[in-house]
Amino acid sequence: MASNIYDPKNETVPPYTGGGPPPVVITQPTVAYQVPVIVGGQMGPKPAPITCRSCNQQIVTRVELKSSTKTHLFALLLCCVFFPCACLPYCIDSCHNADHYCPNCNAYIGSYTN
Ligand SMILES: [Zn+2]
C-alpha cells in the first residue's frame, strides 16, 4: 500500500536559531590601487604634450573618451524630442569625459570633464 498520506514530520524545517547569525564585521583594508596619479589636474579634451612625471618622458597624452552622465541625459532628451538624433551625443566629443594617460607607462595624467 502506497503511503502518500501527508506526514508533517517529513517536512524539513530549518531549526530556529533565535538570534540569527552573528553580525559579520567586514574590515575594509586600505586599498592600494596601483595607478600612479601624476597630475590629476584639469585637462583639455584633446591629447596634450606633457612631461610624464612617472617615466619622465616628454609624451603626448593618450586620451580615452568616456560617455558621461551628460551624454546619456542628452541622448535621453533627444530620444524624446527627435528619435533619430538620440545617438548624436555619443558622436560628439564635447559630450564625453576624456581621461588622459601616458602612452609610455600608462600612468593616469588627468581628466577632462564637462
Ligand atoms: Zn609615463
Side-chain angles (χ1 to χ4, degrees):
M1 196 166 116
S3 61
N4 54 359
I5 307 158
Y6 177 67
D7 186 1
K9 284 200 289 288
N10 285 343
E11 204 161 70
T12 49
V13 177
Y16 180 63
T17 49
V24 181
V25 180
I26 301 164
T27 48
Q28 285 282 351
T30 312
V31 180
Y33 197 57
Q34 287 301 319
V35 172
V37 177
I38 311 306
V39 179
Q42 189 65 235
M43 305 288 291
K46 300 288 176 198
I50 197 169
T51 305
C52 175
R53 277 191 240 168
S54 180
C55 60
N56 287 313
Q57 297 291 309
Q58 189 74 39
I59 49 100
V60 175
T61 57
R62 177 170 56 85
V63 172
E64 287 183 11
L65 292 176
K66 284 183 180 174
S67 300
S68 62
T69 314
K70 201 171 137 188
T71 315
H72 301 310
L73 283 176
F74 267 121
L76 193 69
L77 191 73
L78 284 170
C79 190
C80 297
V81 177
F82 188 54
F83 179 71
C85 284
C87 62
L88 211 61
Y90 296 102
C91 307
I92 303 170
D93 281 1
S94 63
C95 284
H96 289 78
N97 291 341
D99 288 340
H100 291 256
Y101 295 93
C102 170
N104 208 32
C105 66
N106 283 320
Y108 172 73
I109 310 288
S111 288
Y112 168 75
T113 50
N114 58 71

